[in-house]
Protein backbone atom coordinates (compact mmCIF):
# COMPACT_ATOMS: atom_id res chain seq x y z
CA UNK A 1 0.00 0.00 0.00
CA UNK A 2 1.55 3.29 -1.04
CA UNK A 3 2.57 5.78 1.60
CA UNK A 4 3.64 3.23 4.20
CA UNK A 5 7.30 2.81 5.20
CA UNK A 6 8.94 -0.08 3.40
CA UNK A 7 12.47 -0.07 4.85
CA UNK A 8 13.66 -1.11 8.32
CA UNK A 9 14.20 1.85 10.65
CA UNK A 10 16.05 -0.01 13.41
CA UNK A 11 19.37 1.68 14.09
CA UNK A 12 22.40 -0.46 13.29
CA UNK A 13 25.81 0.06 14.89
CA UNK A 14 29.24 -1.50 15.04
CA UNK A 15 29.70 -0.20 18.61
CA UNK A 16 29.91 -2.66 21.49
CA UNK A 17 27.19 -2.88 24.11
CA UNK A 18 29.63 -1.34 26.60
CA UNK A 19 30.31 1.62 24.30
CA UNK A 20 26.61 2.22 23.71
CA UNK A 21 25.94 2.10 27.46
CA UNK A 22 28.75 4.53 28.26
CA UNK A 23 27.53 6.96 25.59
CA UNK A 24 23.94 6.72 26.83
CA UNK A 25 25.01 7.21 30.44
CA UNK A 26 27.05 10.28 29.50
CA UNK A 27 24.27 11.75 27.34
CA UNK A 28 20.92 10.74 28.86
CA UNK A 29 17.85 11.27 26.71
CA UNK A 30 15.49 11.73 29.67
CA UNK A 31 15.45 13.05 33.20
CA UNK A 32 16.12 10.68 36.07
CA UNK A 33 13.28 9.28 38.13
CA UNK A 34 15.37 10.24 41.15
CA UNK A 35 15.24 9.02 44.72
CA UNK A 36 11.92 9.35 46.47
CA UNK A 37 11.22 9.86 50.16
CA UNK A 38 12.37 6.47 51.40
CA UNK A 39 14.41 3.69 49.84
CA UNK A 40 14.63 -0.04 50.37
CA UNK A 41 17.65 -2.09 49.39
CA UNK A 42 16.60 -5.21 47.46
CA UNK A 43 19.51 -7.62 47.00
CA UNK A 44 18.52 -10.11 44.33
CA UNK A 45 20.03 -13.61 44.45
CA UNK A 46 23.58 -12.98 45.72
CA UNK A 47 23.84 -16.73 46.33
CA UNK A 48 26.69 -19.13 45.71
CA UNK A 49 25.20 -20.50 42.50
CA UNK A 50 25.73 -17.03 41.00
CA UNK A 51 28.57 -15.42 42.98
CA UNK A 52 31.12 -18.25 43.24
CA UNK A 53 32.60 -19.18 39.85
CA UNK A 54 35.28 -21.12 41.73
CA UNK A 55 32.50 -23.49 42.87
CA UNK A 56 30.02 -23.15 39.98
CA UNK A 57 31.85 -21.95 36.86
CA UNK A 58 28.91 -22.63 34.53
CA UNK A 59 26.40 -20.48 36.43
CA UNK A 60 28.34 -17.93 38.50
CA UNK A 61 29.93 -14.69 37.33
CA UNK A 62 31.97 -11.72 38.50
CA UNK A 63 31.65 -8.29 36.87
CA UNK A 64 32.90 -5.84 39.50
CA UNK A 65 35.34 -7.61 41.87
CA UNK A 66 34.06 -5.38 44.70
CA UNK A 67 30.37 -6.09 44.12
CA UNK A 68 29.86 -7.95 47.42
CA UNK A 69 31.64 -5.21 49.37
CA UNK A 70 29.44 -2.54 47.80
CA UNK A 71 26.29 -4.55 48.54
CA UNK A 72 27.37 -4.96 52.15
CA UNK A 73 28.21 -1.27 52.44
CA UNK A 74 24.88 0.07 51.20
CA UNK A 75 22.89 -2.59 53.07
CA UNK A 76 24.70 -1.84 56.32
CA UNK A 77 24.32 1.91 55.84
CA UNK A 78 20.61 1.56 55.09
CA UNK A 79 20.07 -0.73 58.08
CA UNK A 80 21.80 1.77 60.37
CA UNK A 81 19.31 4.45 59.25
CA UNK A 82 16.30 2.20 59.82
CA UNK A 83 15.76 1.67 56.09
CA UNK A 84 14.49 -1.75 54.99
CA UNK A 85 16.88 -4.31 53.53
CA UNK A 86 15.69 -7.34 51.56
CA UNK A 87 17.56 -10.42 50.35
CA UNK A 88 16.26 -12.97 47.88
CA UNK A 89 17.64 -16.28 46.69
CA UNK A 90 16.34 -18.94 44.33
CA UNK A 91 15.58 -22.57 45.18
CA UNK A 92 13.19 -25.35 44.25
CA UNK A 93 11.65 -28.48 45.71
CA UNK A 94 13.57 -31.74 45.45
CA UNK A 95 11.44 -32.88 42.51
CA UNK A 96 11.43 -29.37 40.93
CA UNK A 97 7.63 -29.42 40.91
CA UNK A 98 7.60 -25.68 41.67
CA UNK A 99 10.12 -24.70 38.98
CA UNK A 100 7.56 -24.20 36.23
CA UNK A 101 8.40 -23.93 32.55
CA UNK A 102 11.21 -21.45 33.24
CA UNK A 103 13.13 -23.86 35.43
CA UNK A 104 12.73 -27.08 33.48
CA UNK A 105 14.06 -26.43 29.98
CA UNK A 106 17.08 -28.57 30.84
CA UNK A 107 17.94 -31.06 33.55
CA UNK A 108 21.68 -31.07 34.20
CA UNK A 109 23.56 -30.57 37.49
CA UNK A 110 23.81 -26.87 36.58
CA UNK A 111 20.18 -26.39 35.55
CA UNK A 112 18.09 -23.82 37.38
CA UNK A 113 15.66 -26.47 38.63
CA UNK A 114 18.52 -28.22 40.44
CA UNK A 115 19.10 -25.38 42.87
CA UNK A 116 17.45 -27.21 45.76
CA UNK A 117 16.21 -25.84 49.07
CA UNK A 118 19.01 -26.05 51.63
CA UNK A 119 21.69 -26.78 49.05
CA UNK A 120 25.01 -24.99 48.76
CA UNK A 121 23.80 -23.34 45.56
CA UNK A 122 20.88 -21.89 47.53
CA UNK A 123 23.14 -20.44 50.23
CA UNK A 124 23.97 -16.76 50.27
CA UNK A 125 27.57 -15.83 49.60
CA UNK A 126 29.51 -16.19 52.86
CA UNK A 127 30.97 -12.69 52.44
CA UNK A 128 27.57 -11.05 52.81
CA UNK A 129 26.46 -9.49 56.08
CA UNK A 130 22.79 -10.35 56.58
CA UNK A 131 20.95 -9.49 59.79
CA UNK A 132 17.94 -11.79 59.79
CA UNK A 133 16.61 -10.07 62.92
CA UNK A 134 15.72 -7.01 60.87
CA UNK A 135 16.32 -7.86 57.20
CA UNK A 136 13.65 -9.59 55.13
CA UNK A 137 14.86 -12.82 53.50
CA UNK A 138 12.78 -14.50 50.80
CA UNK A 139 13.22 -17.55 48.60
CA UNK A 140 11.85 -16.93 45.12
CA UNK A 141 11.21 -19.19 42.15
CA UNK A 142 10.85 -16.81 39.19
CA UNK A 143 12.96 -13.90 37.88
CA UNK A 144 11.33 -10.97 39.65
CA UNK A 145 11.85 -10.47 43.37
CA UNK A 146 8.20 -9.35 43.47
CA UNK A 147 6.69 -12.52 42.00
CA UNK A 148 4.91 -14.59 44.68
CA UNK A 149 7.00 -13.13 47.51
CA UNK A 150 5.89 -10.75 50.32
CA UNK A 151 8.11 -7.98 48.90
CA UNK A 152 5.34 -5.61 47.80
CA UNK A 153 3.49 -5.74 51.11
CA UNK A 154 6.81 -5.40 52.98
CA UNK A 155 7.62 -2.22 51.05
CA UNK A 156 4.10 -0.89 51.63
CA UNK A 157 4.40 -1.45 55.37
CA UNK A 158 7.71 0.42 55.42
CA UNK A 159 6.30 3.19 53.19
CA UNK A 160 9.20 2.84 50.78
CA UNK A 161 8.72 4.46 47.38
CA UNK A 162 12.13 3.64 45.91
CA UNK A 163 13.93 0.32 45.47
CA UNK A 164 17.69 0.06 45.08
CA UNK A 165 18.27 -3.20 43.24
CA UNK A 166 21.53 -5.15 43.46
CA UNK A 167 22.68 -8.67 42.61
CA UNK A 168 22.33 -10.64 39.40
CA UNK A 169 21.94 -11.29 36.71
CA UNK A 170 21.60 -7.88 35.08
CA UNK A 171 19.84 -9.37 32.06
CA UNK A 172 17.62 -11.65 34.13
CA UNK A 173 16.42 -11.11 37.67
CA UNK A 174 17.70 -7.51 37.98
CA UNK A 175 15.86 -6.44 34.87
CA UNK A 176 12.72 -8.35 35.84
CA UNK A 177 12.71 -6.85 39.33
CA UNK A 178 13.26 -3.32 37.99
CA UNK A 179 10.42 -3.66 35.47
CA UNK A 180 8.10 -5.02 38.16
CA UNK A 181 9.12 -2.23 40.54
CA UNK A 182 8.29 0.44 37.97
CA UNK A 183 5.05 -1.33 37.07
CA UNK A 184 4.02 -1.18 40.73
CA UNK A 185 4.75 2.52 41.03
CA UNK A 186 8.19 2.40 42.64
CA UNK A 187 11.25 4.33 41.56
CA UNK A 188 13.96 1.82 40.62
CA UNK A 189 17.65 2.54 41.18
CA UNK A 190 20.35 0.19 39.85
CA UNK A 191 23.87 0.89 41.17
CA UNK A 192 26.30 -0.06 38.41
CA UNK A 193 28.95 -1.68 40.59
CA UNK A 194 26.36 -3.80 42.42
CA UNK A 195 25.03 -5.85 39.50
CA UNK A 196 26.68 -8.54 37.39
CA UNK A 197 26.17 -10.89 34.47
CA UNK A 198 27.83 -13.75 32.62
CA UNK A 199 28.78 -11.75 29.51
CA UNK A 200 29.47 -8.05 29.12
CA UNK A 201 27.18 -7.79 26.08
CA UNK A 202 24.16 -8.97 28.09
CA UNK A 203 25.23 -6.84 31.06
CA UNK A 204 25.70 -3.54 29.25
CA UNK A 205 22.85 -3.99 26.78
CA UNK A 206 20.44 -4.46 29.67
CA UNK A 207 21.93 -1.60 31.68
CA UNK A 208 21.28 0.58 28.62
CA UNK A 209 17.71 -0.66 28.33
CA UNK A 210 17.10 -0.11 32.04
CA UNK A 211 18.60 3.38 31.84
CA UNK A 212 16.48 4.38 28.87
CA UNK A 213 13.20 2.91 30.08
CA UNK A 214 12.81 1.48 33.54
CA UNK A 215 15.35 2.67 36.13
CA UNK A 216 18.05 5.09 37.11
CA UNK A 217 21.40 3.41 36.53
CA UNK A 218 23.89 5.23 38.73
CA UNK A 219 27.28 4.83 40.40
CA UNK A 220 26.99 3.22 43.82
CA UNK A 221 28.48 6.40 45.30
CA UNK A 222 25.15 8.15 44.59
CA UNK A 223 23.29 5.57 46.65
CA UNK A 224 25.80 5.85 49.50
CA UNK A 225 25.51 9.65 49.47
CA UNK A 226 21.69 9.52 49.56
CA UNK A 227 21.69 7.12 52.51
CA UNK A 228 24.24 9.24 54.36
CA UNK A 229 21.98 12.26 53.99
CA UNK A 230 18.77 10.46 54.96
CA UNK A 231 17.20 11.93 58.10
CA UNK A 232 14.25 9.58 58.59
Amino acid sequence: MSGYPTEPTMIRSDKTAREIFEETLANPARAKFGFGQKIAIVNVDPQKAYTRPDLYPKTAYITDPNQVTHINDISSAARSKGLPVVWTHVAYMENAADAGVWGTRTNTPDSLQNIKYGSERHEFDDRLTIDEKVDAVYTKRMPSAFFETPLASFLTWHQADTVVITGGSTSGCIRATAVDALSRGYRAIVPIECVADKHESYHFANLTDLLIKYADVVPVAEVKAWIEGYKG
Side-chain angles (χ1 to χ4, degrees), residues 13-220:
S13 174
D14 293 327
K15 295 175 183 175
T16 66
R18 180 194 288 263
E19 289 171 337
I20 293 170
F21 169 68
E22 290 174 348
E23 288 183 5
T24 305
L25 186 66
N27 301 282
R30 64 158 178 80
K32 289 182 176 180
F33 294 111
F35 292 87
Q37 298 298 311
K38 188 177 184 180
I39 71 167
I41 308 292
V42 180
N43 301 307
V44 181
D45 305 348
Q47 63 197 87
K48 292 178 182 177
Y50 304 127
T51 64
R52 293 289 302 275
D54 55 322
L55 299 175
Y56 305 107
K58 292 186 178 180
T59 61
Y61 36 77
I62 296 172
T63 299
D64 188 311
N66 296 313
Q67 180 191 17
V68 171
T69 299
H70 290 307
I71 291 173
N72 276 335
D73 287 347
I74 62 174
S75 297
S76 175
R79 193 183 298 115
S80 71
K81 292 291 187 82
L83 295 164
V85 178
V86 180
W87 307 84
T88 72
H89 49 164
V90 171
Y92 299 100
M93 297 164 55
E94 191 60 35
N95 65 355
D98 56 345
V101 174
W102 187 53
T104 54
R105 289 183 298 170
T106 60
N107 186 14
T108 72
D110 294 301
S111 295
L112 185 67
Q113 64 172 311
N114 288 319
I115 302 176
K116 304 302 185 184
Y117 284 96
S119 69
E120 185 178 56
R121 293 171 187 266
H122 181 215
E123 293 175 359
F124 287 111
D125 192 298
D126 294 324
R127 296 167 293 176
L128 295 168
T129 303
I130 302 173
D131 186 348
E132 295 196 24
K133 293 180 181 177
V134 295
D135 297 353
V137 179
Y138 305 134
T139 292
K140 68 181 183 68
R141 292 174 296 279
M142 295 295 158
S144 172
F146 285 92
F147 186 79
E148 294 184 350
T149 75
L151 178 57
S153 58
F154 182 79
L155 296 175
T156 297
W157 169 249
H158 284 278
Q159 298 182 320
D161 59 3
T162 305
V163 290
V164 175
I165 304 166
T166 83
S169 67
T170 312
S171 61
C173 297
I174 298 302
R175 179 193 174 96
T177 299
V179 172
D180 267 7
L182 182 73
S183 300
R184 286 167 168 77
Y186 296 100
R187 301 165 187 261
I189 310 288
V190 178
I192 298 166
E193 299 92 335
C194 294
V195 293
D197 212 319
K198 192 75 174 177
H199 192 287
E200 75 167 16
S201 289
Y202 318 148
H203 177 70
F204 287 109
N206 278 275
L207 283 181
T208 301
D209 208 34
L210 287 166
L211 176 63
I212 292 171
K213 300 173 184 175
Y214 306 118
D216 289 349
V217 179
V218 303
V220 69

